[in-house]
Amino acid sequence: VKNKDSPNIMNGEGYLIVNLTSIRDFNANLLGKAIEMISLVADTPSNALVLGLAVESEMITKVSLRHLGKAEESSPKLDKILTEIVAQVNGELLGHRHVMGALITRQKEMDFIRIARKVLEARSMEEIIR
């Protein structure tokens, strides 16, 4: 990935956040597939969480959260993780346990990313302690 040092790609312990909101005319319906492909070329660990953001409309940002491991009972409950983040920016949850998304207002994007990093870092620390 030529932009792997971009401020739009944030690699943390056990997670990757990909902010595609600056890409004009990006189809937000492709967000899930796009973040999966980016995670492959970014050498993201196989058990990581990948969070992506893309512009849905002038006022709305679409968010997608994926787990790169196999979908099994021990995999993280994406709905719980995303609920914790989205509740703090008054967003709307979409999806189900293994493929989660949300809609947030465009003006809350930076708050969302800041909160997401805290929640994902804390989750990563809990995994290490276990």
Side-chain angles (χ1 to χ4, degrees):
V1 175
K2 77 176 181 184
N3 294 330
K4 122 172 159 177
D5 295 323
S6 161
N8 294 333
I9 299 178
M10 295 151 262
N11 232 326
E13 187 69 39
Y15 72 89
L16 177 71
I17 298 175
V18 181
N19 185 353
L20 302 174
T21 58
S22 63
I23 299 176
R24 288 178 49 128
D25 301 324
F26 179 81
N27 183 340
N29 292 327
L30 302 175
L31 179 59
K33 289 295 175 202
I35 63 174
E36 285 176 21
M37 290 190 307
I38 290 167
S39 68
L40 291 174
V41 293
D43 294 327
T44 307
S46 63
N47 202 27
L49 292 172
V50 182
L51 180 67
L53 295 88
V55 174
E56 173 81 12
S57 70
E58 191 177 312
M59 305 291 285
I60 302 293
T61 298
K62 186 174 188 176
V63 175
S64 181
L65 179 63
R66 304 291 166 105
H67 176 247
L68 296 182
K70 291 183 179 147
E72 47 192 51
E73 282 310 306
S74 63
S75 65
K77 292 175 178 52
L78 300 182
D79 53 346
K80 283 184 67 177
I81 296 167
L82 201 53
T83 296
E84 184 177 347
I85 302 166
V86 169
Q88 296 181 59
V89 294
N90 299 318
E92 175 187 343
L93 284 175
L94 310 167
H96 54 83
R97 182 174 177 234
H98 297 297
V99 178
M100 279 305 297
L103 299 175
I104 62 171
T105 60
R106 298 272 336 258
Q107 67 243 40
K108 299 278 185 156
E109 286 172 7
M110 291 301 117
D111 289 338
F112 178 88
I113 291 170
R114 181 180 43 75
I115 294 163
R117 290 185 88 157
K118 279 185 188 171
V119 169
L120 295 173
E121 291 282 345
R123 184 197 161 274
S124 177
M125 292 308 292
E126 286 173 14
E127 292 293 314
I128 291 169
I129 291 168
R130 280 189 217 158

